Amino acid sequence: MRSYAKLWTAAVAACLATLVVAALALPQSFRLTALSDVMQCLLLFSGTVSLIPHAVRSRGRLRLFWTLMATGMGFWFAYQFVWIYFEVLRRTDVPDLCAGDMILFLHIVPLMAALALRPHAPQDEYAARLRRLDFALMMVWWIYLYVLIVIPWQYVTPNIPAYNDDLNSLYLIEKVAFLGTLFLSWMGSKGGWKTFYANLFGASFTYAASSHLANWAIGHHSYYSGSLYDIPLAVSMAWITIIGLRTHEREPQAGVRSTSTSHGVWLARLGMIAAFSLPLFAAWAMLDDAVPPRIRSFRVVLTLAAAVLMGAMVFVRQRLLDWELLRLLTHSRESFTNLKRLQAQITESEKLASIGQLLGGAAHELNNPITAMLGYSDLLLCTPLTPEQSELAGRIGQHARRTRSLVASLLSFAKQGPAAMAPVDLNTLLRTAVKLSQPQWQALKIQVRTEYPQELLLVRGDSNQLLQVCVQIINDAIHAVGQRGSRTLTIAAESKNGIAIIHISDASLADTKIQTLGNVAPDLDSPETLSGLGLSACQGILEQHQGRILWRQDRNVGTTIRVEIPVIPPVPQQSSDPGVPVMWRPQPFS
């Protein structure tokens, strides 16, 4: 405990000791009354001040909690000051019909409001708003009860015995309700909060018991200010200061978020019960013939006004609830839609994974016979053959190489993963792809014409995957050209509007009707058809590079393929062929 807290605690203990000594040593007198009232006022002021720093240091709901606690103690201090005003300053007894009694009754209401916030149990902002509104409803209800039951005997038709009986009964009910709520908070908390609630319950129970004992002494005409009956009351006042000082050392932190909503449900139920109790009180007010007509009229009018006010609060609460339910419904629909989309994606991923495993296994099995076919075809070409036989052997090798390229595409599709993006020179890639395809177009006696721009065509992508795309498309184009009997294939590149465009065509480059691959599926049975599975793999790679393939086949015009990839601004080059593997950097080919 800090030094100032120790001094503060010692001062509080000195006040208590002074009260005990005075109650034992001094007879009933003005001096004893003044000393008792002033000491109790100091104790209440000390308790109020000890809670204020918590409200200053805290934030959000915790600040509101400490503010309400300090407000409740402040009301109690104000009520004690009323006693000083009458018994010390005016040297007279406190009036039997005292307006300050309402302050004493209301000082428990902020304390119950603080407990309703449940600072030891975190909650979302929506729940906090609803619970604050529920508390406001309960606070209005307690004020309504006081005005309904007590005030008529004070101002409408003054009646001291009825006033005292109704005030003591209602105040007792309020204290019991507060102690019950405090006990539930104590049982439902942990750690520092549990210690805090336990001490607060002890102080409140001591106060309730001492005030009840004092009322009994007043009824037996044995009570006077400063008597021993005031000592338990002073102890409860001093206890509040100790709570404030000790909590300052161990600021209780909010615990783990609870999934239980029972507290909010019961608080809402109590609010509804309070609202629905108004008609019962109205009926009781009209049917109670034991009270004067003026009081009955006052109570009926008061109940109608309270019904309007509390009905408006219930309406606002219901609107907040409707908005929250609508928000939850919208969120649930979005979550359900996202869940269905996720399930579809998982199902598709599982299908693709199965297809990938199947393709990978099949491709590995096909590689061995294809390699053998290529070897035997090359051996045939090295042996003396007639021109017709040489052409047939060349065609066997060509189709075997196309099959090997397709198998490579299948393997790439099966193992497809995130591409390693880096700047790549598209011109160099095309030169390399044309060089790698040279055995095929030379065997078919096809003339390949290339047209490359002078400037670099830099794109961001994986050089290996893009080279695979170029080789696959050129091979498919060579195959299509060979099927048509044409002997010229044009490969050109250009940059237009931030897009790198590759044209591969055996027709005029001024093509006017190019279709997107994904929009119109080619006829796989047509002899002029490109390799659909190979182009599908290429299309998947280009989608990762934010590109696309466009194509057109016409029996009269020819075959045209166009590849589009976004370009990036040129960067300083460290080598003549950036982004291309060293083994694929051939001499320029035209």
Side-chain angles (χ1 to χ4, degrees), residues 56-75:
V56 175
R57 292 192 303 266
S58 304
R59 294 291 182 272
R61 184 163 51 103
L62 197 56
R63 168 175 286 184
L64 181 59
F65 170 81
W66 291 114
T67 300
L68 289 172
M69 291 292 297
T71 301
M73 291 302 301
F75 282 176

Side-chain angles (χ1 to χ4, degrees), residues 396-408:
I396 293 174
Q398 173 196 357
H399 287 286
R401 288 184 177 88
R402 290 193 66 253
T403 305
R404 185 174 62 180
S405 177
L406 178 59
V407 169

Side-chain angles (χ1 to χ4, degrees), residues 1-279:
M1 183 178 292
R2 298 179 181 178
S3 57
Y4 79 89
K6 293 180 179 179
L7 294 176
W8 199 336
T9 304
V12 170
C15 290
L16 279 178
T18 301
L19 287 174
V20 173
V21 172
L24 294 174
L26 297 178
Q28 181 179 1
S29 61
F30 170 75
R31 183 172 58 177
L32 177 61
T33 298
L35 178 63
S36 176
D37 289 345
V38 171
M39 288 299 170
Q40 291 183 36
C41 190
L42 289 176
L43 289 174
L44 290 174
F45 178 76
S46 172
T48 303
V49 172
S50 68
L51 299 176
I52 292 177
H54 301 293
V56 175
R57 292 192 303 266
S58 304
R59 294 291 182 272
R61 184 163 51 103
L62 197 56
R63 168 175 286 184
L64 181 59
F65 170 81
W66 291 114
T67 300
L68 289 172
M69 291 292 297
T71 301
M73 291 302 301
F75 282 176
W76 195 3
F77 166 72
Y79 175 73
Q80 186 61 34
F81 194 79
V82 171
W83 278 67
I84 290 180
Y85 171 75
F86 283 105
E87 292 189 338
V88 178
L89 299 181
R90 299 187 59 179
R91 298 196 177 191
T92 183
D93 292 334
V94 178
D96 292 324
L97 301 177
C98 179
D101 291 339
M102 187 173 186
I103 301 176
L104 180 64
F105 178 82
L106 291 180
H107 96 274
I108 295 182
V109 176
L111 300 179
M112 286 194 292
L115 297 180
L117 291 175
R118 299 192 70 198
H120 61 280
Q123 57 192 325
D124 54 36
E125 183 58 28
Y126 164 74
R129 289 199 305 268
L130 277 185
R131 290 177 182 178
R132 285 195 290 266
L133 192 58
D134 290 335
F135 159 72
L137 191 65
M138 295 299 298
M139 183 178 67
V140 170
W141 186 72
W142 280 109
I143 295 175
Y144 160 77
L145 284 183
Y146 185 87
V147 177
L148 178 74
I149 296 175
V150 179
I151 290 298
W153 302 116
Q154 185 174 5
Y155 296 105
V156 181
T157 302
N159 187 322
I160 294 176
Y163 174 85
N164 289 331
D165 291 341
D166 288 349
L167 174 61
N168 292 333
S169 299
L170 185 61
Y171 192 38
L172 178 62
I173 293 173
E174 184 186 36
K175 287 184 290 187
V176 170
F178 174 66
L179 287 174
T181 305
L182 186 55
F183 180 79
L184 293 177
S185 299
W186 177 18
M187 293 295 101
S189 58
K190 297 180 180 179
W193 280 115
K194 196 173 190 69
T195 302
F196 169 81
Y197 285 130
N199 282 278
L200 186 59
F201 180 83
S204 302
F205 183 81
T206 302
Y207 165 72
S210 61
S211 61
H212 183 72
L213 182 62
N215 288 333
W216 177 85
I218 291 174
H220 289 77
H221 306 287
S222 60
Y223 175 82
Y224 57 89
S225 295
S227 64
L228 290 175
Y229 293 105
D230 284 345
I231 301 303
L233 186 63
V235 170
S236 66
M237 297 175 181
W239 205 336
I240 300 298
T241 299
I242 303 303
I243 292 174
L245 294 178
R246 290 180 61 84
T247 306
H248 177 72
E249 288 186 324
R250 300 192 306 270
E251 184 73 24
Q253 299 296 324
V256 180
R257 180 182 297 273
S258 174
T259 57
S260 174
T261 57
S262 59
H263 174 79
V265 171
W266 277 108
L267 194 60
R269 288 175 180 174
L270 290 176
M272 294 298 103
I273 291 174
F276 286 120
S277 67
L278 297 181

Side-chain angles (χ1 to χ4, degrees), residues 309 398 448 541:
L309 177 60
Q398 173 196 357
V448 176
I541 293 174

